Amino acid sequence: MAALSAALALPLTLVHGPAGSGKTMVVAQWAASAREARPVAWLSLEACENDPARFWMYVIEALRSVLPGIGKA
């Protein structure tokens, strides 16, 4: 979790890994352990959702949870 905390200085942190590697658990624990407010946008995709338009729609919706109004233009 130290690596995730260090990533706060960056505009975006992507967590990627194979199924079952513990990504969800680590990020959920990190987000829940916030001593200060952290903006966290969560996006999960399935292999069948391999469509660029759907992907970007999901990204925008996830980002709206921390940046209301993004993507309205």
Side-chain angles (χ1 to χ4, degrees):
M1 285 198 291
L4 287 174
S5 292
L8 286 174
L10 303 171
L12 175 69
T13 301
L14 175 66
V15 178
H16 180 269
S21 64
K23 301 175 299 295
T24 299
M25 184 174 68
V26 167
V27 174
Q29 287 176 348
W30 173 77
S33 70
R35 294 183 188 209
E36 70 283 344
R38 287 183 191 137
V40 176
W42 201 281
L43 177 62
S44 296
L45 298 171
E46 300 293 326
C48 64
E49 297 171 323
N50 190 13
D51 172 49
R54 183 180 296 194
F55 169 77
W56 287 110
M57 182 178 67
Y58 287 178
V59 168
I60 291 169
E61 287 302 316
L63 290 174
R64 282 184 181 157
S65 69
V66 294
L67 297 170
I70 193 169
K72 284 188 176 184

